Amino acid sequence: MMMKSFVPLLIAGVSAATLVSPAEAQRRDEHREVFDAMRSGKLLPVREIENRVLPSMHGAQYLGFDFDSGAGIFTLKFLRNGNVIWVEVDGHSGQIIGRSGR
């Protein structure tokens, strides 16, 4: 009798563990879009963009990037002397199009 009530609970627990949050699902979709666009040649690979920007960021710690799929813009994030620096890069051309912070 105890086993019969345990099985549905176990199934419910496993099902809940496999659900992803809407934010995580959106992040996965964005990563897929970026990957597909890079594979098709519409966007430069992230590594190429990083290789263009990182050498100019002397003394800054690279924190990672965000991607705006609608605009095709990568925003690389850095930290230097307690200040956050954002560098916006056109994902199609690799050109730096904006920078904020010091």
Side-chain angles (χ1 to χ4, degrees):
M1 182 96 162
M2 186 92 158
M3 186 64 148
K4 287 184 181 181
S5 62
F6 178 72
V7 172
L9 287 174
L10 179 65
I11 292 172
V14 169
S15 296
T18 59
L19 295 175
V20 296
S21 70
E24 185 176 337
Q26 180 180 356
R27 203 170 317 116
R28 285 183 183 175
D29 290 344
E30 287 175 354
H31 284 235
R32 173 53 80 190
E33 283 181 44
V34 171
F35 178 78
D36 291 343
M38 282 184 219
R39 189 177 55 193
S40 68
K42 294 178 184 175
L43 284 176
L44 294 171
V46 175
R47 297 295 169 233
E48 185 172 335
I49 290 172
E50 290 171 336
N51 289 338
R52 291 178 183 205
V53 176
L54 269 61
S56 67
M57 298 303 295
H58 307 288
Q61 176 187 1
Y62 180 51
L63 302 175
F65 72 92
D66 287 329
F67 180 68
D68 180 341
S69 60
I73 296 173
F74 288 91
T75 302
L76 282 66
K77 298 177 188 180
F78 297 88
L79 183 64
R80 182 188 300 138
N81 300 326
N83 297 309
V84 178
I85 303 165
W86 293 273
V87 179
E88 293 180 339
V89 181
D90 183 302
H92 307 284
S93 69
Q95 296 293 320
I96 295 175
I97 56 175
R99 180 180 167 144
S100 61
R102 296 179 179 231

